[in-house]
C-alpha cells in the first residue's frame, strides 16, 4: 500500500469542516489508478477482498475536473 504522500490528491484542499485528511477524497496513484476515500457503506456485501465506500457527487465532479474529464 502506498503512503498518502505518494498519492496525488485530486479533491479537497484540507480546509473546511472535515479537517485536512478525513474528508471524502479521490486520489491518483503512481500507477495512474484512482483511489477513493469515503464513508464505508453497507449497501450490499461485496466479494472477498473488496469494499464499498460512499462519496458525495460533488467530490467526484471535482476529481473529474482535476483529471480534465
Amino acid at each position: 500500500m502506498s503512503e498518502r504522500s505518494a498519492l496525488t490528491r485530486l479533491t479537497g484542499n484540507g480546509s473546511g469542516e472535515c479537517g485536512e485528511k478525513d474528508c471524502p477524497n479521490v486520489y491518483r496513484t503512481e500507477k495512474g489508478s484512482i483511489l477513493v476515500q469515503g464513508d464505508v457503506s453497507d449497501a450490499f456485501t461485496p466479494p472477498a477482498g473488496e469494499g464499498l465506500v460512499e462519496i458525495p457527487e460533488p467530490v467526484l465532479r471535482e476529481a473529474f475536473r482535476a483529471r480534465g474529464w
Side-chain angles (χ1 to χ4, degrees):
M1 182 62 70
S2 297
E3 292 291 325
R4 188 187 305 249
S5 62
L7 303 171
T8 301
R9 190 173 179 165
L10 300 177
T11 57
N13 61 9
S15 64
E17 63 186 59
C18 58
E20 185 176 328
K21 296 183 179 177
D22 61 351
C23 302
N25 277 299
V26 179
Y27 300 88
R28 187 178 69 229
T29 69
E30 291 175 337
K31 296 185 233 177
S33 60
I34 301 297
L35 181 65
V36 177
Q37 172 188 354
D39 293 330
V40 176
S41 174
D42 61 0
F44 66 89
T45 302
E50 296 183 4
L52 303 173
V53 298
E54 272 188 67
I55 189 161
E57 183 177 332
V59 174
L60 289 177
R61 288 183 182 276
E62 183 180 350
F64 293 155
R65 279 192 300 275
R67 295 288 296 144
W69 295 344

